Amino acid sequence: MIRNPLSEAIRDSLATFFAYFPLGIVFGFLFTSELSLPWILAPFMSLMVFAGAIQFVALGIFAAQGSIIYSNNFKSWFWASAKAFGIRRS
């Protein structure tokens, strides 16, 4: 019997969807309520910053009128994510 790869992919990713969907709702709620920004920017940030918990950290930094780029922790975040992808410092 030939299986449809798309239906298998959807079936295999349902557990991940149900795990992350509530976190996305919470992130969107906090994004709009704490930062007073339009809701359409929350999914955009989720697409651009695919780093999980760093999105929630960024909310705190933005709410305190800070910037991630000029943060002391930016270098740590960068090298931590680079290490996860196997990139080494030269």
Side-chain angles (χ1 to χ4, degrees):
M1 179 173 151
I2 298 174
R3 294 187 175 185
N4 184 0
L6 180 62
S7 64
E8 285 187 25
I10 290 172
R11 188 195 69 219
D12 291 343
S13 59
L14 275 177
T16 304
F17 170 76
F18 286 120
Y20 281 105
F21 186 73
L23 289 174
I25 297 291
V26 170
F27 175 75
F29 176 75
L30 289 174
F31 188 87
T32 55
S33 65
E34 294 295 322
L35 300 180
S36 301
L37 292 173
W39 68 269
I40 194 70
L41 294 177
F44 180 72
M45 184 175 174
S46 293
L47 289 173
M48 293 295 114
V49 182
F50 190 69
I54 297 298
Q55 293 175 323
F56 290 96
V57 172
L59 286 178
I61 291 172
F62 291 152
Q65 303 298 317
S67 171
I68 290 180
I69 294 173
Y70 297 112
S71 172
N72 290 337
N73 291 331
F74 179 73
K75 186 171 79 172
S76 302
W77 295 338
F78 176 76
W79 286 115
S81 61
K83 185 177 180 183
F85 289 107
I87 300 171
R88 296 184 194 172
R89 293 186 193 189
S90 56

